[in-house]
Amino acid sequence: MQQTPIGVFDSGYGGLTILRKLTAQMPSHDFIYLGDNARAPYGTRSFETIYKYTLQAVKWFFEQGCPLVVLACNTASAKALRTIQQNDLPKMDSSKRVLGIVRPTSEVIGSFTETRKVGVMATRGTVLSESYKIEIKKSFPDIEVIQEYCPMWVPLVENNEFDSPGADYFVKKHIKELLKRDQNIDTVLLACTHYPLLMEKIKEYMPVSIKIVEQGNIVTASLINYLARHPDMDDRITKFSSRKFYTTDDPTNFSEQAAIFYGQHVKADKVEML
Ligand code: DGL
């Protein structure tokens, strides 16, 4: 029988930190993952480029039969999601859905902070898009968002350097920069799906009084809630506990690296995206 899985997309490995939580809490749903490793990182790229790459990926997921795609990448969610939802989806197939991760995260961030000062650490693209400032303001007008972009964090993670002295240097530097801007930040959101891989280092340099929020559980709870509210969509997703992994770069490399993010070994296939 043909599978119609949920598509999960990221520029590289980061979305696997989200997929790990999704598959743990939605064990029967079928999932298919695509990492655009050949073109990562996205965080430093222009709007046009991120939009073009993300749209290609969405089209590919639709060709694989996915009725629903989750952009498990803040940069793609911040820069491309709205245009895809408003302009492209109606032309492609209006019965399909593309969801992002900025809004679900913004909708719950208020429950973590007491001082109402939230630090957002993300890629340059996400920070400059101001998406978190805009979305958090909608749900919690009293929260002030203080942002810091960390351009070296994704390359450190993608290149398996997340435990190196280089990681110490860049993690310390950006935490210091963020906290210098406001002494009252009590919550820091890791608004990039790659950053949980730097958690050990982040904890080393973040004062213990500050809550560090990652997105995996938040995005999972939001998707479960979405499917409960849209049973017609849930019915369209096949449930054979199938997981498939694709990368635009070398699948052997992907398979080796992916275990670090996903927590178990995976076999990946290559997809050409031009
Ligand atoms: N993991 C992605 C995010 O959540 C972006 C990484 C990149 O720069 O490609 O923003």
Side-chain angles (χ1 to χ4, degrees):
M1 192 186 150
Q2 208 218 332
Q3 287 175 12
T4 49
I6 298 173
V8 178
F9 175 67
D10 183 53
S11 59
Y13 298 112
L16 291 167
T17 62
I18 303 282
L19 184 68
R20 185 176 184 165
K21 304 284 183 186
L22 289 171
T23 51
Q25 291 176 56
M26 303 169 69
S28 354
H29 287 74
D30 294 343
F31 287 95
I32 173 172
Y33 183 88
L34 174 64
D36 193 4
N37 299 79
R39 304 188 293 194
Y42 278 17
T44 44
R45 295 188 187 276
S46 68
F47 165 83
E48 286 75 18
T49 306
I50 296 169
Y51 164 64
K52 183 176 135 196
Y53 290 175
T54 308
L55 181 59
Q56 276 181 339
V58 167
K59 284 184 176 159
W60 179 83
F61 279 115
F62 287 176
E63 281 160 21
Q64 310 311 302
C66 301
L68 174 68
V69 177
V70 177
L71 303 182
C73 173
N74 290 277
T75 312
S77 300
K79 298 267 221 177
L81 179 65
R82 185 182 294 262
T83 316
I84 291 175
Q85 282 175 334
Q86 292 180 353
N87 297 353
D88 300 292
L89 203 52
K91 288 182 224 148
M92 291 191 287
D93 184 343
S94 57
S95 78
K96 301 205 172 190
R97 289 288 172 269
V98 184
L99 305 176
I101 59 174
V102 173
R103 184 173 294 175
T105 309
S106 302
E107 283 171 353
V108 299
I109 201 69
S111 60
F112 294 92
T113 170
E114 275 158 33
T115 61
R116 313 314 269 171
K117 304 263 191 177
V118 172
V120 169
M121 307 192 87
T123 65
R124 186 169 184 275
T126 301
V127 166
L128 296 185
S129 76
E130 303 250 300
S131 295
Y132 274 100
K133 283 198 167 184
I134 296 164
E135 289 301 327
I136 292 175
K137 207 36 82 211
K138 282 185 198 159
S139 301
F140 307 101
D142 61 324
I143 291 182
E144 190 185 333
V145 174
I146 300 101
Q147 305 194 94
E148 170 75 3
Y149 60 79
C150 319
M152 290 304 289
W153 287 18
V154 170
L156 282 166
V157 170
E158 286 280 313
N159 293 294
N160 214 352
E161 293 283 340
F162 49 84
D163 204 20
S164 68
D168 280 288
Y169 177 83
F170 285 108
V171 168
K172 186 176 171 189
K173 173 185 156 119
H174 289 294
I175 290 177
K176 208 170 136 199
E177 284 299 320
L178 175 76
L179 300 181
K180 212 163 68 183
R181 266 185 248 136
D182 199 309
Q183 313 284 312
N184 292 319
I185 293 172
D186 72 345
T187 302
V188 168
L189 169 65
L190 303 184
C192 172
T193 54
H194 281 67
Y195 294 177
L197 261 287
L198 288 163
M199 190 57 103
E200 290 313 307
K201 297 279 178 221
I202 293 170
K203 278 187 184 156
E204 242 175 79
Y205 297 106
M206 193 75 77
V208 280
S209 57
I210 295 181
K211 283 185 212 111
I212 306 166
V213 179
E214 52 177 306
Q215 296 176 286
N217 288 329
I218 295 172
V219 172
T220 303
S222 162
L223 185 61
I224 291 172
N225 181 280
Y226 175 86
L227 292 174
R229 285 183 290 112
H230 298 88
D232 49 324
M233 175 57 82
D234 196 35
D235 287 346
R236 290 166 67 189
I237 298 156
T238 45
K239 298 173 187 72
F240 301 110
S241 306
S242 154
R243 284 95 184 81
K244 288 187 184 149
F245 297 84
Y246 294 88
T247 174
T248 54
D249 208 345
D250 178 32
T252 314
N253 266 353
F254 183 92
S255 303
E256 279 166 18
Q257 286 283 103
I260 302 167
F261 295 78
Y262 188 58
Q264 50 181 280
H265 185 76
V266 306
K267 195 193 144 310
D269 288 306
K270 179 161 178 164
V271 172
E272 212 64 68
M273 292 244 164
L274 300 169

